[in-house]
Amino acid sequence: MKLIGILGGMSWESTITYYRLLNEEVRARLGGLHSARLLMHSVDFADIRVLQQEARWEEAGQVLGAIGRQLAGAGADFLLIATNTMHKVADAVEAAAGIPVLHIVDPTARAIQKRGMHRIALLGTGYTMREEFYKGRMRERFGLEVLVPSEADMRVVDKIIFEELCVGKIQDSARAEYLRIIAALQKQGAEGVILGCTEIGLLVQQEHTDLALFDTTRLHAEAAVTQSLE
């Protein structure tokens, strides 16, 4: 079993989910007392958030790259960046670490393709919804058309992520807002929705909507177990 290196803590609320899913998936596949082999470095998210807000992305890549290099030095065979947004610096992390980064977009896009879908909605942080590092990879590598909410609704989605979900607040009012936004995207022709922030799955589950949901946290973890067991 290959050793998984996790760059976590962004936020730790979703990193907990990663840890649980990785271990559950290994146990489901191997049975008995089997569990995942992993190393994790959990950052102080407040420091990373400042770098995001000040658009200091090169510095963020250096910080996470140094962590990736430490994990590689400790024996990790490949890396998981346990957040969607910080895949903006995935190439820098991979280059610094010298081992592969399992990109969160790739298993998500393959799951969408497997369902025969082509037009997909994306919810995530403002960075993920607005910038090309995520949508562009979906489009260029997998031929998917990605829809995002209106500018006003993007602000709502982003605010709930950082002011509520990242600090453990799961509120019905926030879920209602997300479901309203999902319904609006469905009217625009979305065949499914990417939960493109690792905290969103804490708030919205498949039982809440009839539109197919693609939970990036779960899909990323499942792909990591597959790679670990290869």
Side-chain angles (χ1 to χ4, degrees):
M1 193 186 304
K2 295 186 181 72
L3 186 61
I4 305 169
I6 304 176
L7 285 74
M10 299 170 280
S11 69
W12 65 261
E13 296 284 346
S14 62
T15 301
I16 290 172
T17 304
Y18 266 96
Y19 185 77
R20 176 178 56 80
L21 290 172
L22 288 164
N23 283 291
E24 287 179 348
E25 189 67 17
V26 169
R27 182 174 60 190
R29 297 194 197 187
L30 300 183
L33 296 177
H34 286 288
S35 56
R37 294 185 65 237
L38 55 86
L39 294 169
M40 181 168 65
H41 182 122
S42 187
V43 304
D44 182 351
F45 190 31
D47 296 337
I48 301 299
R49 180 63 176 145
V50 169
L51 298 179
Q52 291 177 344
Q53 291 174 314
E54 297 180 358
R56 291 156 58 189
W57 294 105
E58 183 176 353
E59 187 175 343
Q62 292 169 353
V63 169
L64 295 188
I67 294 169
R69 189 162 55 247
Q70 291 171 356
L71 292 170
D77 293 295
F78 66 96
L79 299 174
L80 290 188
I81 303 174
T83 163
N84 285 269
T85 297
M86 297 313 293
H87 279 76
K88 182 175 171 70
V89 298
D91 289 346
V93 172
E94 187 170 87
I99 58 175
V101 169
L102 177 57
H103 202 292
I104 199 167
V105 162
D106 298 352
T108 302
R110 291 188 189 103
I112 294 165
Q113 289 181 324
K114 189 174 181 179
R115 295 282 295 273
M117 297 178 183
H118 302 281
R119 198 175 202 202
I120 197 79
L122 171 63
L123 300 181
T125 66
Y127 311 108
T128 300
M129 291 185 289
R130 292 186 182 96
E131 299 186 27
E132 280 296 297
F133 73 92
Y134 203 96
K135 295 182 293 185
R137 192 178 182 99
M138 286 269 175
R139 181 178 61 251
E140 293 161 14
R141 297 197 178 201
F142 300 95
L144 299 175
E145 180 183 357
V146 180
L147 303 177
V148 295
S150 67
E151 185 61 36
D153 281 345
M154 280 196 283
R155 290 195 293 270
V156 171
V157 172
D158 185 85
K159 181 181 176 70
I160 288 171
I161 289 169
F162 285 109
E163 296 186 7
E164 298 182 25
L165 302 182
C166 285
V167 293
K169 294 181 181 177
I170 309 298
Q171 303 191 104
D172 291 340
S173 58
R175 183 178 296 110
E177 283 288 82
Y178 272 51
L179 293 177
R180 174 187 63 77
I181 293 166
I182 287 171
L185 291 164
Q186 186 173 18
K187 287 181 180 178
Q188 294 176 40
E191 299 168 284
V193 181
I194 300 167
L195 304 185
C197 173
T198 51
E199 285 83 17
I200 297 177
L202 303 172
L203 180 69
V204 179
Q205 292 90 44
Q206 191 60 71
E207 66 195 66
H208 298 128
T209 176
D210 59 0
L211 201 60
L213 300 181
F214 296 89
D215 185 343
T216 55
T217 307
R218 179 173 293 279
L219 292 167
H220 203 199
E222 289 173 351
V225 171
T226 296
Q227 186 162 327
S228 178
L229 296 178
E230 284 176 347

